[in-house]
């Protein structure tokens, strides 16, 4: 992507790039004409981008496994691992988004590789490694989902191997059917980011705090105070804020994909 942007004679450069004729009109580079008004920072596309960016940090469910498998696993070392991982993710995301946007402008697709020509060998190699990455990381995501589901549904009780296999088959079948129907990967990423990002960042921690403090107050291990009451009210507000963000981000993602004329 960087080479396609920085090369002097880029095959995607307007108006005579070598690959432009192989692209559909809606995938060709589009840049704001001089003097045209700039979009607002709070515009719907910004909400979609924010929702998509959130998916890069939805790894909370794998934290216990990474902590347990970390050599000399102390909280300090785990904190350094987390900081380096999140920082690296942020840098890679910013660089890749910049390359894509500076190459194609306003025509960037939800999956940026869709903008590149099918005759572009470099893009074909990137598509291969993207597919390889998705296949390789999918078990981590699915394993976390399955473990969390059984913990909630069976309340810590032992789950038979037959039940686990049936759950895996049913879930994989449903996800595969959705993958065959949904063609816009950007919509899937932005919707999941809006819903799960808001839930993990704002809703779930606040619910855990309220549940924990309520239990401790009932058994007498936590005394009521003005500060505690303020913290509980603040966490309730965070839950409402998270719900609003989830609905707003998810709604804009749906509208921008299926009803773009409404924006």
């Amino acid at each position: 992507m960087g080479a396609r942007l920085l090369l002097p004679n880029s095959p995607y450069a307007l108006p005579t790039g070598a690959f432009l004729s192989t692209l559909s009109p809606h995938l060709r580079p589009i840049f704001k004409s001089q003097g045209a008004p700039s979009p607002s920072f709070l515009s719907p596309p910004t909400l979609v981008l924010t929702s998509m960016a959130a998916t890069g940090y939805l790894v909370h469910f794998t934290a216990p496994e990474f902590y347990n498998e970390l050599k000399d696993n102390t909280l300090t070392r785990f904190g350094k691992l987390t900081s380096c991982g999140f920082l690296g993710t942020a840098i890679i995301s910013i660089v890749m988004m910049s390359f894509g946007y500076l190459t194609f402008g306003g025509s960037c697709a939800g999956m940026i590789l869709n903008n590149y020509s099918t005759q572009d060998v470099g893009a074909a190699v990137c598509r291969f490694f993207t597919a390889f990455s998705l296949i390789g990381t999918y078990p981590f995501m699915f394993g976390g989902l399955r473990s969390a589901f059984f913990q909630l549904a069976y309340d810590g009780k032992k789950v038979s191997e037959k039940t686990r296999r049936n759950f895996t088959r049913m879930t994989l079948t449903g996800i595969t059917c959705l993958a065959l129907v949904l063609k816009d990967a950007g919509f899937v990423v932005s919707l999941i980011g809006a819903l799960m990002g808001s839930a993990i960042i704002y809703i779930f921690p606040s619910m855990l705090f309220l549940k924990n403090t309520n239990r401790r107050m009932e058994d007498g291990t936590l005394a009521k105070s003005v500060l505690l009451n303020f913290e509980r009210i603040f966490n309730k507000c965070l839950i409402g804020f998270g719900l609003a963000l989830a609905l707003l981000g998810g709604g804009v993602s749906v509208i921008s994909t299926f009803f773009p004329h409404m924006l």
Side-chain angles (χ1 to χ4, degrees):
M1 293 175 66
R4 293 295 181 261
L5 170 66
L6 301 174
L7 284 176
N9 298 317
S10 172
Y12 297 98
L14 295 172
T16 58
F19 287 142
L20 292 180
S21 61
T22 66
L23 301 177
S24 300
H26 70 283
L27 294 177
R28 295 173 186 171
I30 298 176
F31 295 96
K32 180 175 71 71
S33 58
Q34 188 174 6
S38 299
S40 170
F41 179 75
L42 298 178
S43 61
T46 304
L47 290 173
V48 175
L49 175 61
T50 303
S51 300
M52 295 176 72
T55 59
Y57 306 94
L58 299 182
V59 293
H60 302 67
F61 52 85
T62 61
E65 295 180 23
F66 278 97
Y67 178 78
N68 291 330
E69 295 177 5
L70 179 65
K71 183 178 180 181
D72 299 329
N73 53 347
T74 62
L75 289 178
T76 301
R77 285 176 55 79
F78 183 69
K80 292 180 180 179
L81 173 67
T82 303
S83 300
C84 292
F86 278 19
L87 178 61
T89 299
I91 293 174
I92 293 173
S93 298
I94 292 172
V95 171
M96 293 297 104
M97 286 191 296
S98 299
F99 284 160
Y101 182 75
L102 293 175
T103 303
F104 296 101
S107 67
C108 291
M111 174 62 75
I112 191 62
L113 289 176
N114 290 341
N115 281 94
Y116 291 85
S117 172
T118 55
Q119 299 179 19
D120 189 337
V121 177
V125 173
C126 289
R127 292 187 181 100
F128 170 78
F129 281 111
T130 299
F132 185 80
S133 174
L134 291 173
I135 294 172
T137 57
Y138 185 81
F140 290 101
M141 304 285 288
F142 186 79
L145 168 68
R146 185 174 60 185
S147 298
F149 173 80
F150 286 138
Q151 287 178 4
L152 290 173
Y154 290 86
D155 195 22
K157 298 178 182 177
K158 186 176 180 180
V159 181
S160 66
E161 188 61 30
K162 180 180 179 181
T163 301
R164 295 174 64 87
R165 285 199 302 267
N166 289 338
F167 176 82
T168 300
R169 291 167 181 164
M170 292 174 58
T171 308
L172 287 178
T173 300
I175 294 174
T176 302
C177 290
L178 285 175
L180 294 173
V181 175
L182 297 173
K183 299 181 180 180
D184 188 355
F187 164 70
V188 177
V189 172
S190 62
L191 183 63
I192 292 176
L195 300 180
M196 295 307 300
S198 298
I200 291 178
I201 295 172
Y202 300 107
I203 300 175
F204 292 162
S206 298
M207 292 178 64
L208 290 172
F209 176 81
L210 292 172
K211 183 71 173 179
N212 178 264
T213 53
N214 185 62
R215 177 181 57 80
R216 292 169 62 194
M217 284 190 296
E218 289 180 351
D219 60 22
T221 58
L222 180 64
K224 295 182 180 180
S225 65
V226 176
L227 178 60
L228 178 60
N229 186 49
F230 173 78
E231 286 184 304
R232 288 178 57 83
I233 293 175
F234 178 73
N235 277 270
K236 291 177 182 179
C237 292
L238 279 181
I239 293 176
F241 181 69
L243 288 173
L245 282 183
L247 293 174
L248 187 60
V252 171
S253 298
V254 172
I255 293 173
S256 63
T257 300
F258 299 103
F259 312 100
H261 60 279
M262 296 177 61
L263 298 176

